[in-house]
Amino acid sequence: MFQDSLTKTYDAVVVGSGATGGWAAKRLAEAGLTVAVLEAGRNISPKEFTEHMPAFHLKYRNVSLDWLKSRPVQKQCYACMEYNYDWFVDDLQNPYSTPSDKPFTWQRLRIVGGRTLVWGRQSYRLSDLDFKAASHDGYGDDWPISYKDMAPYYDLVEDYVGISGAAEGNDALPDGHFLPPMKMTCGEVHLRDRVQKQFGRTITIGRTAMLTKNHNGRLACHYCGPCERGCSTFSYFSSPFTTLKDALNTGKCTLITNAVVARVNVDPATNRATGITFVDGITRQTKSVRGKTVILCAQALESTRILLNSATREHTTGLGNSSGLLGRGLMDHSTGAGAAGELPGFDAKPTPYSGPHRANGIYVIRFRNVAKGPQHPGFIRGYGFQGGAESQFNFDAPGYGADFKQAVRNGSYGISLGAFGESLARNDNYVSIDPELKDAWGIPALHISMTHGDNEKALHEDAAVTAAEMLESAGAKNIRIRSTLAEPGMAIHELGTARMGTDPKKSVTDAYNRLHDVKNVCVMDGACFVSSGCQNPTLTMMAITVRACDHLVEGFRRGEV
């Protein structure tokens, strides 16, 4: 069967099986096209999920870091732990370089489903404040699409995925099609009411790709908590058990695992892609798969790496790089600023079994530099906050036995807000091919050069102040303020290295994600973003993919592909 997959010509070859790759496979296969999905890692089974496994079953009890010696970068990810570390890449086999004074943490998985197995699931729409940000403040470029173009695709994705949340009627964050919202804690309700009354700012429950009721054959979340270790009820969205499963069930889709993609193959006579060359991750053999169109959904930096490594005599600096902008404009949301404190008067006592362990928080909708109202003099764009309030254990309590157990429960009622700020697209933030470094399969590795700029710094200084003032308005005590920016990459929202646009001299892809230079190659992941907004980007990536795939299907029907 596998050998047969390498001898036929598919309508589409999709690289990547995560949030966008799963959607591309589903949308195209259900339309009747033949699809090959290439995944650099192995397959996964629900038998591997460990969300209910106690730590004493683990070799190192999830305490020692000995298991992370081959993952010095991946260990920075909140979701990487002894339970699941082998889902993440081996950093020694998958190197990249950075300038010595510009660290960047690239956190990634190589397994069917990719980061959808461990993602934070926060799912927010962009508005025209984001799609047309340049028209608002004059910086950069507008997207070639608008919220009106995207709205029906947001609807479609939300209806399928299942997004729980609450409508707020706030223009900066469009409402969507929601399942019932998760409940706020009493401290969060108190903060919401005080902040609305004093500042006119909107706090809502997080909009998350987790089911609060049975939906599309999947069960509602039972609030066990550790979602990054898998979900046996498939209550949170991950592509292997939703979109990719649907694609495979059509009989039109073939999944090829352990396929480490090296380059896109192009026929110089026609200037059209003919397929993909990859290295078998296990045997190290070089193989090819043929396709009428190639769709890169490998994750922004990986997709860009593939294009840069696909240079030919006709495309000397990388496939799709006639503008010189391939790899330029790297964005990752700025994080690090915020505030935390304690709420007196909220005396709920936690226990290990008190539940529910809500894997979600609250969200403060952007209020700086919105369409209506004054503009901040110190920076452009804006930020949102994610956070929460709940009773906390006091593990520093003294004592032994029953007295110690009681003392541990006498903790504080904590409250916190952490900012996610817009990252401006700057051409001096870029990725390129390292001339010397290669991965374990002999494929040239990336060089990543990125810093957060003065605008991000000013934005986060303001976010630290506004977070503290909101907590103070709720009566919080012992408030601790953070304004230091985290290292680029820590948001795990890489965007913008193959930006959309109508002018081939100022962009890499068109409004339907096709390379300007090679029309049957599409980039349907975060690389196509023109600006980052401050919202988590995965919902927008999925909606963009569905829109681009529908356009591609029409092209096949018209005989244009």
Side-chain angles (χ1 to χ4, degrees), residues 17-20 109 112-119 121 227 236-240 538 542:
S17 64
T20 59
L109 285 75
V112 171
R115 293 195 300 210
T116 66
L117 295 169
V118 300
W119 67 310
R121 302 168 302 283
C227 306
Y236 74 77
F237 174 82
S238 62
S239 62
T538 305
M542 293 191 287

Side-chain angles (χ1 to χ4, degrees), residues 451-471:
T451 60
H452 289 309
D454 291 340
N455 197 74
E456 286 83 8
K457 293 174 184 176
L459 184 153
H460 273 260
E461 289 171 0
D462 185 68
V465 172
T466 60
E469 71 183 10
M470 286 187 284
L471 298 191

Side-chain angles (χ1 to χ4, degrees), residues 168-378:
E168 299 290 352
N170 189 310
D171 291 341
L173 188 73
D175 293 327
H177 290 192
F178 299 134
L179 299 180
M182 295 182 179
K183 292 182 179 180
M184 290 186 180
T185 66
C186 52
E188 292 164 353
V189 171
H190 176 69
L191 177 68
R192 178 195 66 190
D193 294 345
R194 290 295 183 92
V195 166
Q196 176 62 42
K197 182 177 180 180
Q198 186 163 338
F199 302 106
R201 301 169 186 166
T202 303
I203 298 180
T204 189
I205 189 66
R207 296 173 179 177
T208 182
M210 299 177 67
L211 304 184
T212 50
K213 66 177 185 179
N214 296 351
H215 181 74
N216 283 349
R218 295 156 49 213
L219 299 178
C221 176
H222 57 282
Y223 289 71
C224 66
C227 306
E228 64 279 353
R229 286 151 49 183
C231 181
S232 57
T233 55
F234 312 121
S235 302
Y236 74 77
F237 174 82
S238 62
S239 62
F241 310 103
T242 54
T243 49
L244 188 58
K245 178 182 176 182
D246 289 352
L248 294 171
N249 285 342
T250 65
K252 294 285 188 176
C253 180
T254 300
L255 174 63
I256 303 173
T257 56
N258 298 302
V260 185
V261 172
R263 63 182 178 273
V264 179
N265 304 326
V266 178
D267 181 352
T270 62
N271 192 41
R272 294 181 66 82
T274 58
I276 287 287
T277 291
F278 66 93
V279 180
D280 188 299
I282 297 175
T283 68
R284 302 297 200 271
Q285 292 179 307
T286 300
K287 301 176 180 178
S288 294
V289 60
R290 296 197 298 268
K292 297 176 183 177
T293 187
V294 169
I295 301 173
L296 299 181
C297 296
Q299 180 266 340
L301 300 189
E302 286 285 13
S303 291
T304 303
R305 177 191 180 200
I306 292 167
L307 291 173
L308 290 169
N309 276 328
S310 300
T312 66
R313 186 170 57 186
E314 294 75 23
H315 303 274
T316 57
T317 59
L319 198 62
N321 198 23
S322 63
S323 64
L325 295 174
L326 179 64
R328 299 281 170 175
L330 172 61
M331 299 173 281
D332 177 64
H333 287 127
S334 52
T335 63
E342 300 169 6
L343 273 182
F346 292 83
D347 298 324
K349 304 296 184 185
T351 76
Y353 311 104
S354 58
H357 299 285
R358 186 195 68 192
N360 190 18
I362 55 174
Y363 189 74
V364 184
I365 298 175
R366 173 181 168 181
F367 52 86
R368 285 292 193 234
N369 298 328
V370 293
K372 298 177 182 178
Q375 306 300 295
H376 196 282

Side-chain angles (χ1 to χ4, degrees), residues 382-401:
Y383 53 82
F385 289 102
Q386 298 178 28
E390 63 181 354
S391 54
Q392 298 172 335
F393 291 105
N394 177 19
F395 290 111
D396 294 327
Y400 298 92

